[in-house]
Amino acid sequence: MTAPGSAPVFAPGGIAVRRDVAHGRVWSAMPYTVLADNGDVLTLTARPGTESLAPASWTVAAHAGDDALRLDCVHDLASGRWELDYWTWRDTVVLSRFTAGVPFSVHRFLTPDGRPLRWYVNFERPYRRTAIGIDTLDLFLDLMITPDLSSYSWKDEDEYAQARRLGVVDEATH
């Protein structure tokens, strides 16, 4: 539902697509099921089997299980040259919360039968609503937190450092 001149609000049970957009092009796109949306906070979920699009260099790295290949993705993003490939979300259910104006989103990962695995903070550009969902850009650095919130660890610091070196993440964003 969209009022004239306002951003869309998505109905529970509907689909909202979270896209990463860079250089005016889609870098990744994943459809989520809407759990709640008040126009400021958007709460979504995805289950194993959800089909999405991701950079081909990332899907190659993921299929190979080669963390070093992930850095190729950052180079592709910085250069503005990439191809998209199909990716199927697997292994976990994710509950995601996106808040307007905030440079991160918060995710809760669960097993398919509902057992909590971890909390996850994804640093990204504040989202912009579109007719089909939200556009943002992942900034590579993530924070993983235990289900009981007792400890945390950083994830993808190497990708973040590469993104800084290549200018994907500028000083003001850092």
Side-chain angles (χ1 to χ4, degrees), residues 10-95:
F10 302 99
I15 300 296
V17 179
R18 181 209 181 272
R19 300 188 307 180
D20 287 290
V21 176
H23 306 288
R25 295 181 51 213
V26 173
W27 168 254
S28 73
M30 183 165 164
Y32 286 81
T33 301
V34 177
L35 296 176
D37 185 8
N38 68 10
D40 184 44
V41 178
L42 178 60
T43 306
L44 307 171
T45 188
R47 300 193 59 78
T50 300
E51 297 288 330
S52 63
L53 293 171
S57 53
W58 184 88
T59 63
V60 166
H63 286 300
D66 187 341
D67 287 344
L69 287 176
R70 290 185 353 259
L71 296 179
D72 291 344
C73 303
V74 182
H75 183 268
D76 292 349
L77 180 61
S79 71
R81 293 186 304 271
W82 63 85
E83 298 297 323
L84 292 175
D85 193 7
Y86 291 100
W87 178 257
T88 302
W89 185 258
R90 56 186 191 204
D91 303 328
T92 61
V93 172
V94 61
L95 303 174

